[in-house]
Amino acid sequence: MISRSKDDLGKLLVDEQLITNRQLEKAATQSERTSEPLQKVLISLGFVTEKDVVEALGRQMGVRFVDLEAMQLDPELARLIPEHLAQRYKVIPVGQQDNRLTLAMVDPLNVIALDDIRLITGFDIDPVISTDDAITKALNGQFGVTAIAEVEGTMKDISATDFGPMDFDDASDEELSLDKLKEMVDEAPIVRVVNLIISQAINDKASDIHIEPEAKTVKVRYRVDGVLHEVMTPPKHIQAPMTSRIKIMAAMDIAERRIPQDGKIHLTHDGREYDLRVSTVPCVHGEKTVMRILDKGSVQLGLNKLGFSHYNLTLWESIVEKPYGMLLVTGPTGSGKSTTLYSCLNKLNKGDRNLTTVEDPVEYQIGGINQVQTNNKAGLTFAKALKAFLRQDPDIIMVGEIRDGETGKIAVEAALTGHLVLSTLHTNDACGAISRLVEMGVEPFLVSSALIGVLAQRLARNICPNCKESYRPPAEAIRKFGMTVYGDSDINFFRGRGCDHCKGTGYRGRTGIHEVLQITERVRGMVLMRASTAEIRQAAVEDGMRVMQDDAVEKVLEGVTSMEECMRVVYVEGSE
């Protein structure tokens, strides 16, 4: 990002009415205390986005801002600049007319970059400005497209005869294979194949990598936006050395192939830190490997970047700022609960409070927070860790998940004794969290006193902005979506046609669908009286709660996501 003083940047953003003087003062104080750049602090606090800042800087410099994510970039144009130069200066061509090249840059005032690129390309340069993140993603997209082909080319160079016998059912063969594997896993071809599979998954914004052995091949699939896509099928003879290479990277035992194993890989890709949680499980045709990709930068997300509607965001932020009580985030596995909890902690991590977490496992390591990982073999359970925390003078406690009555009771007691407690539960909706706690053995009078808010959420795929189109849905589809209240006429839905940008899926990225239950006095009284979930839900709606189905309908009408996607992730027909 362009180098400029804190005073200059702060004054610019206030003058542009992007932040208030009070917000600037708060961010400047935190910047001084943590030595973080003011711009980074402003973004992490959710006062502005990177796009807001860059657009303002562009206006001040008289340079046009371009939104790269909404553009279809020309690969041939991108190749006018060598990759090493494009990566060094963070630039990418976005247009050409006659002898002029329009160049998206992080810093349009970098005269050295402009001179170098003018010299190499022979074009006159028209600089435009874009965000660092958008240019990095665009460069990964343009120069990462060759990665799969490179993997497949590398695999062809590895002969099946290099690995000897691989019949793991025979003990002598297994020993021979192991000796050969120890020789091969550190050699260039296998190292390159594994590195490219991982780097391409990160470039594709995959959350998981699946390496699945079959009878005669191996299937590699990436989970992107919650959906698995097959990306390549390596030959069978590469399976064992590839799995062993991953095991070595994750500090696992390559000699052990008959029981499940877990490990962890830490790496840096394009200047960002990632942790990979690795799991292997023996299957009929060999070991299946799954790597969960954890982007350590994603925990810096502000709550305003998680897809909250303005109404729900305002309500949830007001609950998170309470000094004590219990907050719960509910939803199925993979619904973004951890990201939401970490975003809440990031908002609360101001340096003046003691924040402690107990997790299984610790997914992201955050500075300024004391994080503990459970160890059931050693007897360190959620409940025992919570008891220990209460002797550590905590202000805020995050429990990864309330799994049993003992943990629930201790968490509630902590909330009642002046602590803010955040945790997760597996329930279908926000009101269901109340009955779940009671079923665990927590008394209703304790739940009603401790609980201050519940957030239920799902993740739905965003319609690709590059190929989004509107259409008039049939009346039956509207009624099926539970929208008769709006009438059947003059309603437009949106969908993605499919393009190179979204790999033909019509979707790119995900957004949250939310339901925020604030524990009002009326709801508190109903919990105390052991009212049913349906009765509590009805009272909460009357007190202003917007159910998840309403949030889904709003995002469909706004063109954020599609009707089909919301039907997939939200049980609309069961709404009352």
Side-chain angles (χ1 to χ4, degrees), residues 63-64 66 92-105 108 114 117-118 123-129:
V63 178
R64 181 166 61 92
V66 294
I92 189 164
V94 295
Q96 177 196 346
Q97 187 171 10
D98 299 327
N99 198 43
R100 303 196 71 83
L101 188 68
T102 303
L103 193 67
M105 307 179 68
L114 291 170
I117 293 166
R118 187 181 295 114
F123 287 100
D124 291 327
I125 306 299
D126 290 327
V128 294
I129 194 169

Side-chain angles (χ1 to χ4, degrees), residues 462-484:
N462 291 329
I463 299 171
C464 174
N466 193 63
C467 61
K468 182 163 75 172
E469 62 181 11
S470 66
Y471 70 99
R472 183 67 57 84
E476 180 58 33
I478 296 173
R479 284 192 290 271
K480 186 178 181 183
F481 199 50
M483 290 178 58
T484 51

Side-chain angles (χ1 to χ4, degrees), residues 4 9 12-13 16 18 50-63 65 129:
R4 57 200 310 114
L9 178 61
L12 171 63
L13 296 178
E16 291 271 342
L18 292 170
E50 185 185 6
K51 182 178 175 182
D52 291 333
V53 176
V54 172
E55 282 189 278
L57 291 171
R59 284 191 292 271
Q60 187 188 51
M61 292 184 290
V63 178
F65 171 82
I129 194 169

Side-chain angles (χ1 to χ4, degrees), residues 376-398:
N376 290 330
K377 288 183 180 179
L380 182 59
T381 62
F382 279 119
K384 285 192 175 179
L386 261 175
K387 287 179 180 177
F389 287 171
L390 295 176
R391 296 189 291 272
Q392 291 278 314
D393 186 31
D395 295 297
I396 299 167
I397 300 172
M398 193 268 271

Side-chain angles (χ1 to χ4, degrees), residues 29-65:
T29 302
Q30 183 168 325
S31 175
E32 291 291 341
R33 187 176 64 246
T34 63
S35 300
E36 284 187 302
L38 177 64
Q39 176 179 328
K40 186 176 180 182
V41 173
L42 286 165
I43 293 170
S44 69
L45 290 173
F47 295 159
V48 289
T49 65
E50 185 185 6
K51 182 178 175 182
D52 291 333
V53 176
V54 172
E55 282 189 278
L57 291 171
R59 284 191 292 271
Q60 187 188 51
M61 292 184 290
V63 178
R64 181 166 61 92
F65 171 82

